[in-house]
């Protein structure tokens, strides 16, 4: 869900500006899943640009407060959201933990790094939502730690149906999403009309696009 349309448009513009998101409707990317895609997103690049990093941090933090008040802890999903999650926690002066994809095989065998107390109110920060599987995995790990996951905020979402199904029981908001991104790219002449229509078509059935 998008909380603020102007923030969604500006976030999309900034991500395109620093090439955290690349659009290649003619010369598509191949994802690890094998999908052919006209878009590639790596929001970790945001951390290398202080003004944009600060914009993302502040808007995520403000939406945390708007939606949930002040939780007890901010949790980042490893590895992509560790940096931005920690910045949000710092902005809100809150404790921070991060959640690994799985427990370590050695040492204390932690899946959650940092201190949590049962019953604490936690908001999860993600950098990118695709199918939502890694996000759901993190949420399940937090629930096993007996904390209350209030919701999740992310920088960007593709808006796939799979993510809606996987995160059906979770309150999810994102600063921007695929629909706002391609609309902004078209309005600012980053895309022409034909490219815009190609990107709309991909969203309808990404698993078979380009085959």
């Amino acid at each position: 869900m998008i909380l603020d349309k102007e923030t969604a448009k500006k976030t999309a513009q900034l991500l395109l500006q620093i090439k955290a998101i690349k659009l290649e409707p003619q010369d598509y990317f191949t994802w690890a899943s094998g999908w052919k895609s006209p878009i590639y997103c790596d929001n970790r690049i945001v951390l290398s640009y202080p003004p944009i990093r600060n914009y993302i941090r502040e808007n995520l933090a403000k939406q945390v407060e708007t939606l949930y008040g002040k939780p007890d802890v901010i949790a980042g999903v490893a590895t992509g959201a560790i940096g931005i999650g920690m910045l949000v926690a710092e902005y809100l002066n809150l404790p921070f933990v991060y959640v690994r994809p799985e427990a370590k095989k050695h040492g204390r065998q932690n899946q959650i790094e940092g201190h949590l107390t049962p019953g604490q109110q936690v908001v999860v920060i993600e950098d990118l939502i695709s199918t939502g599987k890694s996000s759901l995995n993190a949420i399940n790990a937090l629930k096993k730690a007996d904390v209350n996951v209030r919701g999740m905020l992310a920088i960007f979402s593709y808006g796939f149906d799979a993510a809606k199904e996987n995160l059906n029981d979770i309150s999810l908001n994102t600063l921007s999403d695929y629909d706002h991104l391609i609309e902004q790219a078209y309005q600012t002449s980053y895309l022409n009309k034909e490219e815009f229509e190609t990107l709309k078509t991909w969203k309808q059935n990404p698993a078979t696009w380009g085959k």
Side-chain angles (χ1 to χ4, degrees):
M1 180 177 174
I2 295 295
L3 196 62
D4 183 88
K5 290 185 177 181
E6 290 305 312
T7 299
K9 290 195 293 184
K10 183 169 182 180
T11 299
Q13 186 65 31
L14 292 173
L15 295 176
L16 288 169
Q17 177 185 316
I18 62 173
K19 295 183 170 56
I21 290 180
K22 295 181 180 181
L23 300 176
E24 297 285 353
Q26 311 303 331
D27 185 20
Y28 48 74
F29 304 95
T30 301
W31 288 2
S33 63
W35 286 9
K36 307 298 183 183
S37 169
I39 178 174
Y40 189 81
C41 181
D42 182 2
N43 288 331
R44 290 168 293 193
I45 292 173
V46 164
L47 300 174
S48 297
Y49 295 86
I52 296 171
R53 179 179 74 202
N54 290 339
Y55 175 85
I56 298 295
R57 174 194 66 171
E58 290 169 17
N59 279 276
L60 282 172
K62 288 174 183 176
Q63 291 198 15
V64 168
E65 291 186 308
T66 297
L67 292 164
Y68 308 110
K70 206 149 189 181
D72 299 310
V73 180
I74 297 293
V77 180
T79 59
I82 293 177
I84 197 65
M86 186 172 63
L87 289 169
V88 171
E90 177 68 17
Y91 187 88
L92 294 171
N93 194 31
L94 290 173
F96 176 74
V97 303
Y98 70 86
V99 188
R100 298 176 180 274
E102 59 183 16
K104 289 194 298 183
K105 304 298 184 185
H106 58 281
R108 293 187 297 163
Q109 301 182 337
N110 290 340
Q111 184 172 3
I112 300 171
E113 298 290 357
H115 178 72
L116 280 176
T117 300
Q120 283 186 310
Q121 307 292 311
V122 179
V123 171
V124 182
I125 301 295
E126 264 282 27
D127 63 323
L128 174 66
I129 305 291
S130 53
T131 64
K133 287 184 179 178
S134 61
S135 304
L136 182 61
N137 182 56
I139 288 166
N140 287 337
L142 289 164
K143 287 181 176 179
K144 286 180 183 177
D146 201 23
V147 297
N148 180 13
V149 179
R150 298 291 309 281
M152 174 179 284
L153 284 98
I155 298 173
F156 185 82
S157 170
Y158 291 113
F160 293 148
D161 289 339
K164 295 173 185 176
E165 292 170 7
N166 284 325
L167 301 173
N168 182 52
D169 296 329
I170 302 299
S171 170
L172 171 64
N173 286 267
T174 63
L175 294 188
S176 192
D177 61 13
Y178 187 80
D179 292 339
H180 284 84
L181 171 80
I182 62 172
E183 185 67 37
Q184 181 68 13
Y186 179 53
Q187 289 179 356
T188 56
S189 300
Y190 189 100
L191 297 172
N192 60 36
K193 180 67 173 176
E194 181 181 354
E195 292 169 332
F196 176 62
E197 293 299 330
T198 296
L199 285 157
K200 285 173 65 176
T201 301
W202 174 78
K203 171 73 180 302
Q204 293 168 8
N205 201 342
T208 60
W209 189 86
K211 295 182 178 179

